[in-house]
Structure formats: structure tokens, C-alpha cells
Amino acid sequence: MTKTEILNWLLETNPTTLDTLWEKADRVRQENVGDAVHLRGLIEISNYCRRNCGYCGLNRSNHPLERYRMTRDEILTCASQAAQFGYGTVVMQAGEDPGITGEWMADLIRELKTQSNLAITLSLGERARGELRRWRAAGADRYLLRFETSNAALYDQIHPPLGKIPSDRLDLLKYLRDLGYETGSGVMIGIPGQTYSDLADDILLFRELDLDMIGVGPFIAHPSTPIGQSASNGYGDFSVQVPATEAMTYKVLALARLACPRSNIPSTTALATLNTLSGREQGLSRGANVVMPNLTPPHYRQKYEIYPGKACLSETALQCNQCLENRILSMGRSIGTGPGDSPNRRLRRSPVE
Ligand code: SAH
């Protein structure tokens, strides 16, 4: 796919023409990763964050937000629930929280690995290389770190560096991959200031990075963030500005599948937030093969408000589990079993292993 072809799809509005994109993405998904939908149990382990990202409700300047950090026992309880529900993976996500130390996390990973054979995915932001190495050695399998946008100037604007330390997520992604993590990244769709050309470059970069996992979702303005406050004042040039819509999200999902046929791609909660009725299902029939049921105890979940109005906010882990399984089965798809590794990573490594 050339950049022009990607751009043409991003700008396409004819529903009949778009049907051919959905069908192609669904076919490529089926041929490369099959019909099984893998369930990843999401545990939002802390909402403390040292960063000031312009888009995220957990930014450190959001003082009214009450902060929490789950205890080791609380996390282990969630993980055993994941195993009971038959999930093959837990994803531990947090703000960039220095209170989660390298050592504490490594101990937790080791404990989880002795208690179960769950695959462990981390999504803890930009951490020191020594910590990433240590967590991998302790048994962590995968790492998610979205590059958010491939437009470097826009990235710097929305994701300020930490003091003098530059924020180079692309470099970190390469490092994670060299450590042997299954590596995931992705972007938000419709960040104020993001153009169609930027978004086409994002999709080309998914391919260049040879990602094992790709997460994309619409940008949803949070009133307690710098962007959320300016977005309501008509931020951006709307002739080139990508809209943060459901339709645009499906296009990016489908194009990500065509660009990276063997990647694991979730139908995200941000998408389900724009269409609670059928967003998940439409994502799954337009390229996605993963969903991430939430295991975070509801009283913490409400405080993990990266964007407002999040779908599934007050459901228990059991309700999330049943709702998502029903949705998958009623589409005629099956529930994935085992860890659900990315065939992309498996095939990349096999010649050298
Ligand atoms: N601290 C971790 C996890 C952040 S939350 C990290 O920085 O990697 C995971 C993802 O949520 C982010 O990477 C971002 O792409 C998305 N996100 C954050 N704020 C959002 C918003 N307002 N709307 C939509 N998605 C958002």
C-alpha cells in the first residue's frame, strides 16, 4: 500500500466503496490470525503519573483527581480472576508512576509467573531501560507503548518531555523489541492538529516498525487536560484536521490490518465509547481480533479516567467478561484459548531461534 492509496481510503466517503475495504480487512484478518478473538484481562494498576500529556486525564496537573495504586495482593487477585475466566493474558497498565519501582514490579511479575501461565503484558509508559530489561528477565512477555502520532512536532506539543530527558518512543520500541518483548504500539485518531497525511504516515510506520500488536482509538477530549480545554474553542484547521470519529477509527483499523496482516489488533474501549451498542463488533469485523475486558475493581476503574465517558465504567469483571464473550459468540467468532501470541513475532523470530 502506498501513501496515496492510504490517503484515498482515509478520505473515502462512499459507503459502497468502503464496504470493499471492510471486506478486505476482514478477509486478511481471517487468513492471517483466524477467527478466534483473544481476551486480554486489563488491570489498571495505578493512576499516578509524572507526565503532563496534553491529551490524558491522568496528567499530573489534574490535581482534583484522586490517585490510587493497587497493592500486590489486589493485583494478584485480579490475575487469578483472569485465569478463572480463561483469559490467556493480563495487561497491567498505569500512568508513568515512579511509585511502581523496578524491583517491586519485577517481584510481582515473578510471582504472577509462578502462580499461573498467563502471558504478561506491560503498559507502564516510558521507563528506564534497566527496568524494562529487568521486567523482561522476570518473565514479562509483551509491552505496549503507543507512539501516539508520527508527526514529531505534534508529538512534542502534546507529550512534553520529562525535564531534560527527551521522549523518544520510537527508540524505546526498538529497544523493547531487541529485548525480545512482543511489541505493541499505536496512535490516537483525531488529535487536534493531526492531518490526513500524518495519519497515513502513522499507518506506514506501523509496517516499518513491524509491530506485533497495534492499538488505535479515537481521541476523546478530557475537560481536565490542556487539549480538552482548547478543543472546545475550535482548535485546529478543519480542512486538513482528521475527525475523531467512529468512521475514521474503522478506516484506520482496517488499514492497520492490511499493513500488518499478522499483528494482534484490539477492538478498543475508546471505540466502544463512541458506539456502545455495536462499536466492539464492528471493530472485530473490520480487522480486529482482540478485546480487552476490564478486571480493575470498579472503585479504582472510575479513577482511571484517561478520557471521559469510558465504556464499561461501572461493570464488574464478571459482567465485562460475560458481555464481551456474548458479543463475540453472537458474531459467530470463537474465544481464543492460550496466550494468543502474535504470529507476527513468532514468524519473525523463527529463522534465528
Ligand atoms: N502511561 C501509559 C499508558 C497510557 S493510557 C503510556 O503512556 O503508555 C494508554 C493510551 O490511552 C495512550 O497511549 C493513549 O493513546 C490513549 N489515550 C490517552 N488519553 C486519551 C484520550 N483523551 N482519548 C483517547 N485515547 C487516549
Side-chain angles (χ1 to χ4, degrees):
M1 256 189 323
T2 63
K3 182 166 177 183
T4 312
E5 283 168 327
I6 295 176
L7 271 172
N8 286 340
W9 279 122
L10 293 176
L11 293 162
E12 182 60 61
T13 53
N14 181 319
T16 319
T17 315
L18 281 171
D19 278 344
T20 63
L21 176 62
W22 313 143
E23 280 156 22
K24 196 165 171 200
D26 199 40
R27 194 175 62 245
V28 170
R29 185 270 309 152
Q30 212 270 335
E31 287 167 1
N32 287 277
V33 292
D35 277 332
V37 177
H38 299 288
L39 303 178
R40 318 298 198 196
L42 175 66
I43 316 176
E44 295 154 333
I45 64 175
S46 161
N47 72 351
Y48 282 92
C49 192
R50 61 183 170 191
R51 293 208 170 250
N52 235 337
C53 300
Y55 47 87
C56 182
L58 306 188
N59 75 80
R60 67 159 189 262
S61 306
N62 185 4
H63 298 297
L65 179 67
E66 210 181 300
R67 305 285 170 164
Y68 72 87
R69 186 177 300 120
M70 288 175 67
T71 64
R72 173 189 161 94
D73 283 348
E74 286 172 328
I75 298 169
L76 291 173
T77 305
C78 285
S80 56
Q81 224 172 356
Q84 274 166 26
F85 289 146
Y87 303 163
T89 302
V90 283
V91 180
M92 289 183 278
Q93 194 184 74
E96 214 169 281
D97 176 9
I100 296 174
T101 64
E103 189 183 357
W104 183 86
M105 197 68 212
D107 283 347
L108 174 63
I109 293 166
R110 269 190 295 271
E111 182 61 31
L112 280 165
K113 281 289 181 186
T114 39
Q115 286 196 1
S116 70
N117 43 20
L118 288 166
I120 296 181
T121 303
L122 305 178
S123 175
L124 304 172
E126 291 154 69
R127 302 290 307 224
R129 289 176 181 235
E131 292 172 330
L132 298 172
R133 210 170 35 238
R134 189 170 185 177
W135 298 339
R136 174 79 187 127
D141 302 281
R142 308 176 188 146
Y143 206 99
L144 299 173
L145 186 73
R146 291 187 179 182
F147 61 80
E148 315 296 2
T149 170
S150 57
N151 176 331
L154 180 61
Y155 179 75
D156 288 344
Q157 201 183 318
I158 64 172
H159 188 96
L162 259 192
K164 292 205 178 69
I165 310 167
S167 166
D168 190 343
R169 289 194 165 201
L170 297 180
D171 203 41
L172 266 184
L173 284 166
K174 293 199 185 90
Y175 185 68
L176 288 163
R177 189 177 140 161
D178 289 346
L179 287 175
Y181 280 100
E182 256 188 55
T183 307
S185 193
V187 297
M188 286 174 286
I189 296 154
I191 309 162
Q194 182 186 48
T195 66
Y196 286 90
S197 170
D198 293 336
L199 195 51
D201 286 338
D202 294 346
I203 294 164
L204 291 172
L205 189 52
F206 295 161
R207 188 168 58 193
E208 195 184 316
L209 294 170
D210 194 18
L211 296 174
D212 306 314
M213 303 171 282
I214 303 171
V216 297
F219 165 72
I220 299 172
H222 190 301
S224 308
T225 59
I227 302 181
Q229 280 151 19
S230 54
S232 54
N233 302 329
Y235 191 97
D237 170 355
F238 288 95
S239 59
V240 289
Q241 168 69 45
V242 172
T245 56
E246 190 188 344
M248 192 57 65
T249 306
Y250 295 135
K251 288 181 188 177
V252 180
L253 244 177
L255 292 165
R257 170 59 67 203
L258 300 185
C260 303
R262 293 191 297 253
S263 293
N264 282 330
I265 304 183
S267 185
T268 55
T269 304
L271 173 59
T273 299
L274 294 194
N275 178 350
T276 42
L277 212 62
S278 66
R280 292 264 191 214
E281 286 87 338
Q282 292 192 67
L284 287 172
S285 58
R286 293 168 177 186
N289 70 321
V290 166
V291 292
M292 294 168 68
N294 203 322
L295 289 168
T296 316
H299 62 289
Y300 290 138
R301 205 184 294 189
Q302 276 151 22
K303 299 187 176 113
Y304 198 84
E305 198 190 46
I306 51 184
Y307 52 81
K310 219 167 159 193
C312 327
L313 198 66
S314 50
E315 283 169 26
T316 62
L318 180 63
Q319 285 166 331
C320 259
N321 172 253
Q322 289 175 341
C323 164
L324 289 174
E325 289 202 354
N326 287 339
R327 284 174 190 261
I328 294 163
L329 296 174
S330 62
M331 293 177 72
R333 300 271 284 272
S334 57
I335 311 279
T337 52
D341 291 336
S342 160
N344 193 57
R345 148 80 193 275
R346 230 168 21 234
L347 291 168
R348 183 171 64 238
R349 288 179 66 93
S350 51
V352 283
E353 272 179 352

